[in-house]
Amino acid sequence: MTQDLAAYGYLIAAIFFIMSLRGLSSPETARGGNLFGIVGMVIAIGVTVLTPGVVSPWLIVAGLLVGGSVGTVVALRIQMTALPQLVAAFHSLVGLAAVFVAAAAFVSPDAFGLGAPGKIKTASLIEMGLGTAIGAVTFTGSIVAFAKLQGLVSGAPLIFRGQHLLNALLGVALVALLVWFAMRGHPAAFILLIVLSLLLGFLLILPIGGADMPVVVSMLNSYSGWAAAGIGFTLSNTALIVTGALVGASGAILSYIMCKGMNRSIFNVILGGFGTDAAGAAAAAGKNDRPVKAGSAEDAAFLMQNAGSVIIVPGYGMAVAQAQHALREMSDLLKKSGVTVRYAIHPVAGRMPGHMNVLLAEANVPYDEVFELDDINRDFASTDVAFVIGANDVTNPAAKTDPQSAIYGMPILEVDRAQTVLFVKRGMSSGYAGVENELFFRDNTMMLFADAKAMCDAIVKALSGSSH
């Protein structure tokens, strides 16, 4: 394959990647977008393997078979509820791959057309250094995110005195190392660059609370893209540059949207200086001795069946209990009784961007029944019943009323304005942000203490019994 044909092939692959992003922007076109991405990647890999100068195409094919086999097994076995930690794990692999490629190019620059050892072009050293730094930060940051999402470490922020000052000093040191490496190409600078970047990845993500994980996952996605783009310049690979830039830019835009949805600063996300306020969380603890109104599945079934409209608010509790299918069955029975049923999704519900949309799509919930916060918030005031299933922080009125709260200023789904709120929860514990939910104690709230799936199944049984 000539260089001209390879360029055309990469251009076609890039077009497919852009079409993929366009498709993935909506649940209705997501399947097609996923297919476009697969086709684009197949073309890009094929062009790379057939490009002149590739020394061991069969070794690449062997790697593809091994990686493809692992990916297939993971895809078949992974539960939808574990998707956030899987995404975080994949981000870590992208970052690690960037570091390995940069290391290979630094050790054997002649094999990559970058010059002789010790005489690498300055431009290549800059690209290599940036790709290495971003890749290493992505790797360790993604490991921390995976550990928090998987429950291997606490989801609470890990904060220590002088943390911001330490991160600032490490950031300055990292820039200095990048300059030294670009000017001299010294092996010691490269090794220190990797070590410092790995450390910074840990320190940037550790202080971020579990409630903010959707933003973290989105931002790490952006980092992995920029790491890939940097290495793409090192390898002079057009497809890698374009793909990395698309992922990096789209991830950054999504992170900005997520920050807006949480009333967070995008700069705080990048610098690792946001998350749960431990003092605010502690202040909220110990106040749950107030009385609450508790109900049963039969109570919930009666209220919803006699309602004109019901808005369902899913959260991570629904995901953990895998209650989406039972919820869909409950919704179908309500619609047969003439009840208008809709779903309200908060931008940061779950543990990654679009987590709730993915779970509802798995249960074949019609796309036209699912609404984002801005599109449905005004409708709660005219809704008979708001059915909250496993969502906590994103419905907490304290975000509007308590300036001392760790979530103050975050836009919430205003379920408290509904005539009746049915809140499905195992107990009275606070949300992932560590803030007690004032909604539990409102006069129009009825708590349904149970596992989300068990409660939905019980409501389905009650609805089925009353319909005969």
Side-chain angles (χ1 to χ4, degrees), residues 5-381:
L5 284 176
Y8 286 127
Y10 284 142
L11 177 61
I12 294 171
I15 292 172
F16 271 101
F17 291 142
I18 294 170
M19 293 171 65
S20 175
L21 279 178
R22 178 67 184 86
L24 291 171
S25 64
S26 167
E28 295 182 79
T29 57
R31 290 181 184 272
N34 198 35
L35 184 60
F36 281 131
I38 292 171
V39 173
M41 186 55 67
V42 169
I43 293 172
I45 292 172
V47 171
T48 301
V49 173
L50 297 175
T51 298
V54 174
V55 179
S56 306
W58 294 112
L59 190 60
I60 295 175
V61 171
L64 288 171
L65 290 174
V66 173
S69 299
V70 172
T72 301
V73 171
V74 170
L76 291 174
R77 292 187 177 182
I78 195 71
Q79 296 291 328
M80 296 298 279
T81 49
L83 204 56
Q85 46 265 54
L86 176 67
V87 171
F90 282 169
H91 288 163
S92 73
L93 295 178
V94 175
L96 187 61
V99 174
F100 280 158
V101 171
F106 181 69
V107 173
S108 303
D110 47 343
F112 294 84
L114 304 177
K119 297 180 180 180
I120 302 175
K121 305 171 188 175
T122 301
S124 297
L125 288 173
I126 294 172
E127 297 157 3
M128 204 182 299
L130 287 172
T132 300
I134 300 172
V137 168
T138 303
F139 174 62
T140 49
S142 297
I143 288 177
V144 175
F146 171 83
K148 289 197 172 195
L149 291 166
Q150 188 67 17
L152 300 178
V153 298
S154 171
L158 299 177
I159 302 172
F160 54 88
R161 188 181 298 275
Q163 179 177 1
H164 297 306
L165 177 61
L166 176 60
N167 285 348
L169 292 174
L170 289 176
V172 172
L174 188 63
V175 172
L177 280 173
L178 282 169
V179 173
W180 179 27
F181 180 66
M183 293 177 63
R184 302 296 181 187
H186 199 284
F190 186 66
I191 294 171
L192 287 173
L193 187 65
I194 294 175
V195 173
L196 194 61
S197 299
L198 291 173
L199 177 61
L200 196 58
F202 275 118
L203 294 175
L204 285 176
I205 308 301
L206 279 173
I208 299 177
D212 297 322
M213 274 300 122
V215 188
V216 174
V217 171
S218 175
M219 204 68 212
L220 288 171
N221 177 51
S222 179
Y223 289 168
S224 69
W226 297 125
I231 296 304
F233 280 106
T234 300
L235 301 179
S236 299
N237 187 293
T238 307
L240 201 53
I241 295 170
V242 171
T243 306
L246 286 172
V247 173
S250 60
I253 293 170
L254 181 58
S255 297
Y256 174 76
I257 294 172
M258 301 287 283
C259 286
K260 188 178 178 182
M262 296 187 69
N263 196 34
R264 304 291 194 189
S265 165
I266 186 69
F267 295 106
N268 283 347
V269 179
I270 297 172
L271 298 175
F274 81 117
T276 302
D277 183 339
K287 298 196 300 183
N288 60 0
D289 54 349
R290 290 175 285 172
V292 297
K293 187 191 303 179
S296 64
E298 290 73 20
D299 296 327
F302 177 81
L303 288 168
M304 287 192 287
Q305 196 168 36
N306 289 279
S309 62
V310 172
I311 297 180
I312 298 171
V313 180
Y316 191 61
M318 182 196 76
V320 173
Q322 299 187 46
Q324 59 268 29
H325 296 284
L327 186 66
R328 163 68 194 274
E329 189 178 357
M330 183 192 84
S331 174
D332 288 343
L333 288 172
L334 289 173
K335 285 188 287 185
K336 285 181 181 178
S337 298
V339 181
T340 300
V341 179
R342 289 173 293 171
Y343 297 80
I345 306 293
H346 192 281
V348 294
R351 294 295 178 269
M352 73 174 190
H355 195 187
M356 293 301 105
N357 301 73
V358 171
L359 292 174
L360 294 180
E362 184 197 19
N364 294 315
V365 170
Y367 299 128
D368 58 0
E369 294 179 6
V370 181
F371 296 86
E372 300 291 338
L373 179 146
D374 292 335
D375 299 322
I376 201 170
N377 234 5
R378 65 178 65 90
D379 296 342
F380 280 108

Side-chain angles (χ1 to χ4, degrees), residues 280-281 283-284 287 396-410 435-436 438 442:
K287 298 196 300 183
N396 194 339
K400 297 187 300 177
T401 61
D402 184 5
Q404 303 304 315
S405 172
I407 61 173
Y408 182 69
M410 182 180 82
V435 180
E436 187 175 68
E438 290 296 316
R442 296 289 176 93

